[in-house]
Amino acid sequence: MSKTNAVTRLAAEVEKAAGTPVELERPADASHGDYATNVALRLAPEARRPPRELAQELADAIASSPRVQRAEVAGPGFVNLWVASEWYRDALAELLDAGAEYGGGWADPRERFQVELVSANPTGPITVASARNGAYGDSVARLLAFAGHEVEREYYYNDSGVQMERFRESVEAVRRGEPPPEDGYHGDYVRELAALDGDPVPPMLERIERSLERFRVHFDSWALQSVLQERIPELLPRLDVYEKDGAVWARSSTYGDDDDRVLIRSGEGGPTYRAADVVYLVDKLERGFDHALYVLGADHHGTRNWYGAIARMLGYDPERVEVLLYQLVHLTRGGEQTKMSKRRGDVVFLDDFVDEVGVDAARWYLVARGHDQTIEIDVDLAREKSEKNPVYYVQYAHARIAGILRNAEGASPGAEPPPELAREERDLVKRLAELPKLVAESTERRAPHAIPTYAIRVADDFHRFYHHHRVLGSGKTEAFRLGLCVAAKSVIARCLDLIGVEAPDRM
RNA sequence: GCGCCCGUAGCUCAGUGGAAGAGCGGCGGCCUUCUAAGCCGUUGGUCGGAGGUUCGAAUCCUCCCGGGCGCGCCA
């Protein structure tokens, strides 16, 4: 992080006294102060001094800051501190000044990222399972862009493999008036495609793109396996390979992969998907991306080390390659597990899911869980549950604020706190001031699910503030409270945007 | 068998060394005042189990139990 904020500036004051980096936490218990640090506990063993004694020195030193009202030692050696009016002014002024950019633009250095996401074979419409890939990957991309990086999203599809042939044969069969082959594709969409002329792949791709655009996932580019694999002969000499059983193998296990992988098949000698991976990786890195991110479902975790291995084999820094794994989506119907198979056609398509619950609830639902957590969706309960989706709670806070600002009629917001700040006002400022740290951690961990969790907290604090305090016509406190509203609205809108959800002005 | 992920309140889940949480559900209150999709109160947990590291463990390590997903010359 290259930018300071109200919290880090406060931490810096403690650092001066402690002589070591300090992180301030917000205690869960209000009686433990506005902020707390365990730095005395961490320092005590090396200093060979009782932690509470060190903590007392720090508390005394920090208490003299104009931003600090009071500092206390607590428990085994925590320093709890209560911030002063000065700090609230600093924090809110910063929020208002930065506006929509608050918490962003901190990346240093700014780099080029490519996020490859979804990349489902165009053998059928996008399913809810792929939608998680889209929701997760797109949110990571949004976080990186907000940090200040240059980000492009790409969809990579296989237009020439065995499954694509099955898909085309299924459409052809229907065109001849026959049922699709047993191991072919059977969904209704196959019949729809059969009604058109020519190769069914382009219209399928168009439909996929429309679904994803509707889901607010936009692709900057599309990559084709058939084009990439033409360069395989050119790249083969750069690889560490050997022949076995008539096939050509990459010695990937020596470069960090779990196994060696076949690049060129025995027999007719066609290239495998892995061979195209090699070309694609070179292509990505030579197009000037500093980082190539692969968003993959947990069913691909067996190859999570493959991409880094080929980067190493080719002499690239493997740190430039990142595999983001997310756990799968399981669909149930009235408690019964339904197997998802595009071939059988008994899947839930993204478009149907979105028809049912709306884009906002769908995106929120798919990104609000940790990516390491398997998601189970009961198709029968989806609509009922979506009505209780916390996304509406958060959007409602935004709409309420918009309503206040509509009624404000030229009254201008300010950051100057009134002599007495109410608890709800202080809580809201502190909450809003968490955004920079939250966003930075969420970006670095590739964990966008922290955003909705935080957005609920912000809405929570706002709704409470709103309930207890009148904004318009509140006299000397009006400007400050309007300032709070403007800042809260901006933070909520930013959080929602980072996960691809709209922030409505009316509900 | 081996590998990856998960096990926290009735349900769905946050919480990657600091003082156990949210939403939903249940129960009881609050609208002549900027949007009640809201607010307030209450109910509810030996953080799967056992050891270990640490001043301190839901969090780190080891083992065990349970669930998901992989282990193709498919992608």
Side-chain angles (χ1 to χ4, degrees):
Chain A
M1 262 214 297
S2 65
K3 277 184 156 183
T4 69
N5 60 64
V7 180
T8 60
R9 283 192 292 277
L10 184 61
E13 297 204 44
V14 184
E15 279 171 22
K16 234 185 308 172
T20 182
V22 169
E23 289 256 322
L24 292 178
E25 298 176 6
R26 279 198 62 197
D29 187 339
S31 70
H32 295 147
D34 296 318
Y35 292 96
T37 176
N38 64 358
V39 66
L41 286 161
R42 287 196 287 108
L43 248 40
E46 205 179 325
R48 297 187 184 182
R49 293 182 53 195
R52 283 190 61 100
E53 197 178 298
L54 275 173
Q56 189 58 56
E57 286 180 12
L58 286 174
D60 292 342
I62 192 69
S64 63
S65 162
R67 294 194 182 92
V68 176
Q69 185 188 63
R70 178 157 69 94
E72 280 180 4
V73 178
F78 295 103
V79 178
N80 297 337
L81 48 97
W82 283 258
V83 288
S85 179
E86 185 85 8
W87 183 85
Y88 289 104
R89 179 194 332 185
D90 180 29
L92 185 55
E94 179 173 40
L95 273 149
L96 294 174
D97 193 46
E101 297 314 307
Y102 184 70
W106 49 271
D108 184 26
R110 298 182 177 213
E111 296 180 297
R112 291 190 67 199
F113 280 76
Q114 189 211 51
V115 181
E116 184 215 319
L117 66 166
V118 187
S119 297
N121 275 354
T123 55
I126 289 297
T127 63
V128 172
S130 293
R132 185 178 195 185
N133 187 313
Y136 171 59
D138 182 59
S139 290
V140 170
R142 286 170 186 248
L143 281 165
L144 290 167
F146 184 51
H149 296 297
E150 191 179 320
V151 182
E152 286 184 27
R153 295 160 180 78
E154 186 156 280
Y155 191 118
Y156 171 58
Y157 62 98
N158 175 357
D159 57 338
S160 61
V162 177
Q163 293 184 24
M164 293 311 300
E165 289 316 309
R166 279 191 190 138
F167 168 64
R168 289 186 171 108
E169 284 161 15
S170 299
V171 174
E172 283 306 322
V174 173
R175 282 173 179 164
R176 291 192 303 267
E178 300 164 14
E182 189 63 27
D183 59 356
Y185 293 81
H186 295 261
D188 291 339
Y189 65 90
V190 174
R191 270 173 287 284
E192 290 164 23
L193 289 166
L196 306 171
D197 293 328
D199 187 356
V201 171
M204 193 68 256
L205 276 166
E206 282 171 31
R207 182 164 166 189
I208 287 171
E209 184 170 17
R210 275 200 308 277
S211 300
L212 289 165
E213 286 287 342
R214 181 190 183 201
F215 199 53
R216 304 188 191 123
V217 178
H218 175 76
F219 288 91
D220 300 293
S221 50
W222 302 69
L224 283 77
Q225 178 178 339
S226 62
V227 171
L228 288 164
Q229 66 191 12
E230 287 171 15
R231 288 181 64 195
I232 290 171
E234 165 196 338
L235 284 171
L236 223 39
R238 285 177 60 184
L239 296 172
D240 187 352
V241 298
Y242 61 92
E243 279 192 48
K244 193 181 80 177
D245 306 329
V248 178
W249 296 67
R251 209 184 305 275
S252 40
S253 62
T254 0
Y255 299 84
D257 198 2
D258 306 10
D259 290 299
D260 292 346
R261 314 278 178 180
V262 172
L263 295 177
I264 309 294
R265 296 185 180 88
S266 58
E268 293 177 22
T272 63
Y273 181 83
R274 302 264 149 256
D277 278 342
V278 175
V279 181
Y280 192 23
L281 178 67
V282 171
D283 174 70
K284 289 178 186 214
L285 298 180
E286 288 183 355
R287 267 192 278 163
F289 293 109
D290 300 305
H291 300 274
L293 274 54
Y294 294 78
V295 184
L296 301 176
D299 52 341
H300 291 79
H301 78 255
T303 60
R304 71 195 178 286
N305 295 324
W306 158 251
Y307 301 94
I310 53 178
R312 201 174 275 116
M313 190 185 291
L314 287 160
Y316 297 109
D317 178 359
E319 296 290 312
R320 294 171 64 189
V321 175
E322 251 182 80
V323 174
L324 309 185
L325 282 175
Y326 63 92
Q327 297 298 312
L328 303 180
V329 178
H330 291 171
L331 293 174
T332 59
R333 195 177 286 278
E336 298 271 319
Q337 187 86 21
T338 68
K339 279 282 183 198
M340 302 217 296
S341 162
K342 258 192 249 185
R343 265 182 277 163
R344 278 203 312 274
D346 57 348
V347 292
V348 174
F349 295 128
L350 173 61
D351 286 326
D352 299 331
F353 188 59
V354 168
D355 287 344
E356 190 80 7
V357 308
V359 177
D360 288 340
R363 282 205 63 146
W364 180 286
Y365 194 79
L366 289 173
V367 86
R369 279 142 177 75
H371 50 268
D372 272 340
Q373 192 76 232
T374 304
I375 291 182
E376 296 205 4
I377 298 177
D378 190 317
V379 179
D380 295 330
L381 294 178
R383 183 203 290 273
E384 187 190 328
K385 281 200 167 175
S386 72
E387 286 168 6
K388 290 156 187 162
N389 193 310
V391 72
Y392 302 118
Y393 180 77
V394 175
Q395 289 182 320
Y396 184 55
H398 187 270
R400 270 183 149 177
I401 299 172
I404 294 173
L405 299 182
R406 274 195 302 275
N407 295 332
E409 291 176 359
S412 51
E416 188 60 39
E420 286 296 321
L421 276 173
R423 182 167 63 87
E424 292 79 13
E425 295 171 316
R426 286 183 272 132
D427 286 347
L428 188 50
V429 176
K430 283 181 283 180
R431 185 70 71 194
L432 299 176
E434 288 175 28
L435 183 73
K437 184 183 181 187
L438 188 277
V439 163
E441 282 184 0
S442 188
T443 308
E444 276 157 12
R445 291 181 190 172
R446 315 294 190 236
H449 70 276
I451 303 293
T453 302
Y454 168 72
I456 291 173
R457 298 280 180 277
V458 176
D460 202 29
D461 284 323
F462 176 77
H463 284 309
R464 197 172 295 121
F465 159 76
Y466 178 92
H467 182 79
H468 289 281
H469 305 284
R470 175 98 199 163
V471 176
L472 299 177
S474 64
K476 288 177 192 158
T477 61
E478 186 182 272
F480 181 78
R481 288 179 180 169
L482 267 176
L484 267 180
C485 287
V486 170
K489 181 169 182 280
S490 167
V491 166
I492 291 171
R494 172 56 66 194
C495 287
L496 292 176
D497 181 69
L498 285 171
I499 57 169
V501 172
E502 290 190 331
D505 282 347
R506 296 175 197 269
M507 281 178 78

